[in-house]
Amino acid sequence: MLLPLILAIAVLIKWDSPGPVLFRQNRIGLGNRPFRVWKFRTMTCCENGAVVRQAQRDDPRVTRLGRILRRTSLDELPQLVNVLLGSMSLVGPRPHAVAHDAQFAGSVARYAERHAVRPGITGWAQVRGCRGETPNAASMQRRVDLDLAYIEHWSLALDLLILVLTLREVFRSQAAY
């Protein structure tokens, strides 16, 4: 059902800016095992090294189409492949770039406990306002606290609620950039 939308987005990305259609980045998943996350490319760069600069509001690296894809979360659609491959689930703590894991693991309490479950395309932290840039340890701590609350209170009903709230968030939020 999503194939026509995915193909249309791929064509638009190629038309909008030079570079690959898909962005692949290393992330840490369940049991601290690395995996490669798939997303539509929304920036002029494809950082995947020891230093990864987070997107910021009005970031000049974000393409014109990328702004729309990020705001609507359509850039996340290729992560359905990650779900099918078993490296991600629909709901769970959002995986961060490996560089960000290294940056925050020592300064954010219980950070590594997020890897006790499969990461998700969406999560409790995202629907509770922790979407977008995490410029400091305090903002990451809030996200991690919500991730851990999700893990501790997991249920199918909670997952279904998060999926519904995600749809609401996509249609009303301007937090992603």
Side-chain angles (χ1 to χ4, degrees):
M1 286 178 24
L2 293 174
L3 190 57
L5 176 62
I6 289 170
L7 290 174
I9 291 171
V11 168
L12 289 171
I13 290 170
K14 272 312 223 188
W15 175 73
D16 183 54
S17 63
V21 169
L22 294 175
F23 168 66
R24 293 172 295 278
Q25 187 177 65
N26 297 329
R27 305 283 172 101
I28 302 297
L30 175 64
N32 291 313
R33 285 189 296 278
F35 73 99
R36 209 159 232 216
V37 72
W38 296 57
K39 298 175 88 171
F40 281 123
R41 183 181 55 83
T42 60
M43 300 180 109
T44 57
C45 62
C46 294
E47 296 173 340
N48 191 27
V51 176
V52 175
R53 204 171 90 208
Q54 292 185 35
Q56 301 171 346
R57 188 169 303 283
D58 301 319
D59 196 312
R61 299 172 300 162
V62 177
T63 65
R64 291 176 308 212
L65 179 61
R67 291 192 196 293
I68 297 165
L69 295 175
R70 292 170 79 87
R71 191 171 31 252
T72 60
S73 296
L74 289 172
D75 63 318
E76 311 284 354
L77 278 177
Q79 289 178 36
L80 292 171
V81 172
N82 290 110
V83 172
L84 293 174
L85 293 174
S87 56
M88 291 181 72
S89 68
L90 292 177
V91 179
R94 290 284 301 140
H96 301 129
V98 172
H100 299 148
D101 277 352
Q103 175 185 353
F104 290 113
S107 60
V108 175
R110 301 178 65 199
Y111 184 90
E113 292 178 37
R114 303 168 67 255
H115 301 127
V117 299
R118 202 172 314 276
I121 294 176
T122 187
W124 189 236
Q126 282 63 46
V127 300
R128 302 288 297 168
C130 291
R131 189 172 174 219
E133 184 185 14
T134 51
N136 54 50
S139 61
M140 183 60 81
Q141 185 68 62
R142 176 158 159 59
R143 184 177 286 184
V144 168
D145 290 344
L146 289 165
D147 288 340
L148 296 177
Y150 165 79
I151 292 168
E152 292 165 8
H153 299 99
W154 179 87
S155 69
L156 180 57
L158 181 57
D159 276 3
L160 293 174
L161 173 65
I162 291 169
L163 289 171
V164 169
L165 292 175
T166 296
L167 289 175
R168 182 192 74 175
E169 192 68 21
V170 164
F171 289 112
R172 75 175 184 99
S173 177
Q174 302 298 313
Y177 39 84

